[in-house]
Amino acid sequence: MAYLMLKSIHNKNMEILEDHSLKDFTSLRVGGNARYFGIIQSEKDIEAIHKFAKSKILPLLILGKGTNTIIKDSPLPRVVGLMEFTGINIKNDFEDSVYVEAYAGELWDDLVQWAVDHEYSGIEALSAIPGTVGAAPIQNIGAYGCELSDNLVNVKVYDTDLEEFVFLGLEECHFNYRDSIFKSNLEKYIVVSITLELSKNKPEIPQYKDTQLYFAGRKTRPSLKSIRKAIVEIRSKKLPDPSVVPNAGSFFKNPILEKEVVAELLRKYPEAPYFKVNDEQIKIYAGWLIEKIGLKGKTFGENVALHKNNSLVLITNGNATFKDIGKAKKEITELIKKKFDITLEMEPIVIK
Ligand code: NAP
């Protein structure tokens, strides 16, 4: 493997490797060789790798822990920057809350642990979500009724068109269910840091069945630490650890449908779980649809399966190819479409 030394602007040499395998940089363990690959540890590195990609006339792809990314197996004509720019600091300290800035290369769960250690509430329901802070706004991570956007103040990005660092406020991020402006503009925006507003008040127990059951019968309000502990325990029972079983978390999004469409579904399947989103739209549980047609735990070819405890999670044995995953996705979505006339959408980002 050849490597080049790229002189970044602050005069530190940034190593750029050529033809570097990405397989170990995605949690599904899928991915071919990137034409060029470098590690980002500062704002200067971001500028340097952007300029390098521009000089090579190649698109730039930023990777965190690759927990929500599926990369094709064949050579990838791109410059890949692995985001390892870390740091957490308090920007403003108010009476009831704090503004906390966390850099893109921090592990998301380390940030949650930091917040809980400092007695700041707001993101404890997002405990144990794999991946980096930088990836969190891209898909507006969510769990147990809490989304990143509920606490977000702004996102600092490097705008590769303007070639400058800018802050995008909450409105400008166009957050939606597992979606944001960043998801459809991966080449334009490089997430540098996020600023969250965290509360100094005691947290509420998330209104989800599993968390309510965990604390059932308890007379006193649980502490922030015990809510985090509950979420970590619940998740570890239901979700495979990507460092042991390759997976990318939820592989399908829960469909959000017009209420008339859901009424039709409920006429046929009154037992189908559903959750009101607003006056017009209702969310249904994609996992229920998958289970209903008997696909939970099912294998697709030799290397891919749906997890036995969570039908939304596609797992591999570490030997799967991009094609194997595509075939499994096609089979599942076609069967769901045929049975329910509902189109399932994938949650991870596909890089071709
Ligand atoms: P669960 O609690 O068994 O619930 C099944 C589904 O029903 C979830 O997908 C959830 O939607 C929905 N749901 C349940 N109670 C709800 C309520 N009170 N209000 C609105 N929607 C409700 O789900 P799980 O598989 O064990 O996952 C627990 C949480 O972790 C979920 O929020 C899930 O999204 C999150 N999670 C996220 C990922 C990821 O990769 N993004 C992976 C695993 C789990 P929502 O998914 O919209 O919450």
Side-chain angles (χ1 to χ4, degrees):
M1 188 190 310
Y3 67 87
L4 313 169
M5 293 300 268
L6 173 70
K7 215 163 177 82
S8 79
I9 295 150
H10 63 319
N11 213 21
K12 191 185 118 196
N13 284 328
M14 182 184 185
E15 200 178 355
I16 297 277
L17 301 166
E18 290 190 80
D19 296 322
H20 192 67
S21 170
L22 297 175
K23 196 172 169 187
D24 293 338
F25 296 95
T26 64
S27 62
L28 269 168
R29 313 267 154 76
V30 172
N33 283 10
R35 181 73 191 90
Y36 296 103
F37 177 93
I39 294 178
I40 298 168
Q41 291 175 322
S42 67
E43 290 191 356
K44 299 290 181 198
D45 288 348
I46 293 174
E47 289 177 303
I49 203 164
H50 161 67
K51 285 194 177 128
F52 177 75
K54 208 170 149 185
S55 72
K56 296 286 175 191
I57 323 174
L58 287 174
L60 175 62
L61 169 71
I62 305 297
L63 268 186
K65 286 284 167 193
T67 51
N68 202 43
T69 310
I70 309 176
I71 300 178
K72 68 169 188 171
D73 302 309
S74 44
L76 199 69
R78 287 177 185 251
V79 177
V80 171
L82 189 70
M83 183 54 79
E84 289 193 354
F85 184 11
T86 56
I88 300 175
N89 56 65
I90 296 173
K91 278 171 85 173
N92 298 83
D93 195 344
F94 306 111
E95 198 180 326
D96 293 326
S97 68
V98 282
Y99 279 9
V100 174
E101 181 178 34
Y103 283 83
E106 284 288 343
L107 284 181
W108 170 260
D109 198 52
D110 286 352
L111 174 63
V112 181
Q113 182 68 62
W114 179 95
V116 170
D117 288 345
H118 288 76
E119 292 290 330
Y120 299 139
S121 62
I123 52 173
E124 59 286 348
L126 305 179
S127 285
I129 294 185
T132 57
V133 162
I138 295 175
Q139 76 144 351
N140 189 20
I141 56 169
Y144 303 99
C146 172
E147 289 185 333
L148 179 83
S149 52
D150 298 338
N151 294 80
L152 191 115
V153 178
N154 61 44
V155 179
K156 184 176 184 180
V157 293
Y158 181 70
D159 183 323
T160 58
D161 292 338
L162 301 174
E163 299 193 320
E164 58 187 48
F165 293 92
V166 291
F167 287 92
L168 298 186
L170 185 61
E171 295 292 311
E172 293 166 293
C173 296
H174 297 179
F175 285 122
N176 223 318
Y177 174 64
R178 307 288 191 268
D179 202 9
S180 70
I181 197 168
F182 312 111
K183 206 165 178 174
S184 45
N185 287 281
L186 288 176
E187 282 167 31
K188 178 172 167 62
Y189 295 123
I190 298 175
V191 176
V192 180
S193 70
I194 62 173
T195 296
L196 301 176
E197 181 169 19
L198 301 177
S199 171
K200 293 182 182 178
N201 298 322
K202 259 195 147 188
E204 301 286 343
I205 302 171
Q207 297 292 310
Y208 268 46
K209 193 178 78 211
D210 284 350
T211 42
Q212 294 286 320
L213 269 175
Y214 187 98
F215 291 109
R218 227 186 127 115
K219 300 228 165 32
T220 53
R221 205 160 147 187
S223 67
L224 189 53
K225 268 199 178 80
S226 47
I227 292 183
R228 172 169 163 78
K229 185 168 169 275
I231 303 270
V232 171
E233 279 177 24
I234 294 166
R235 279 187 72 105
S236 67
K237 281 196 193 116
K238 290 181 99 172
L239 291 161
D241 176 350
S243 64
V244 182
V245 179
N247 76 84
S250 296
F251 191 78
F252 295 106
K253 292 193 211 178
N254 287 328
I256 294 178
L257 305 169
E258 299 305 308
K259 62 180 182 200
E260 293 76 17
V261 178
V262 177
E264 189 55 37
L265 178 80
L266 291 172
R267 255 191 294 281
K268 283 191 201 149
Y269 307 100
E271 73 281 20
Y274 64 93
F275 306 93
K276 185 178 168 185
V277 175
N278 55 43
D279 287 345
E280 298 305 319
Q281 293 179 306
I282 293 175
K283 177 179 75 180
I284 54 167
Y285 178 36
W288 183 87
L289 302 174
I290 290 171
E291 283 166 36
K292 185 74 187 168
I293 57 171
L295 296 184
K296 190 174 185 177
K298 190 181 175 319
T299 52
F300 300 86
E302 281 178 15
N303 302 323
V304 180
L306 283 169
H307 193 253
K308 62 180 183 353
N309 295 342
N310 194 321
S311 50
L312 280 190
V313 179
L314 195 86
I315 57 172
T316 77
N317 57 6
N319 299 320
T321 61
F322 184 75
K323 219 170 167 184
D324 292 335
I325 292 170
K327 268 170 84 177
K329 182 223 160 190
K330 190 164 178 277
E331 193 175 332
I332 298 162
T333 48
E334 283 178 0
L335 287 168
I336 295 288
K337 179 78 182 165
K338 198 167 154 207
K339 178 80 176 173
F340 303 105
D341 196 22
I342 290 172
T343 307
L344 284 187
E345 278 179 33
M346 251 174 74
E347 197 176 294
I349 293 164
V350 175
I351 306 290
K352 289 185 183 165

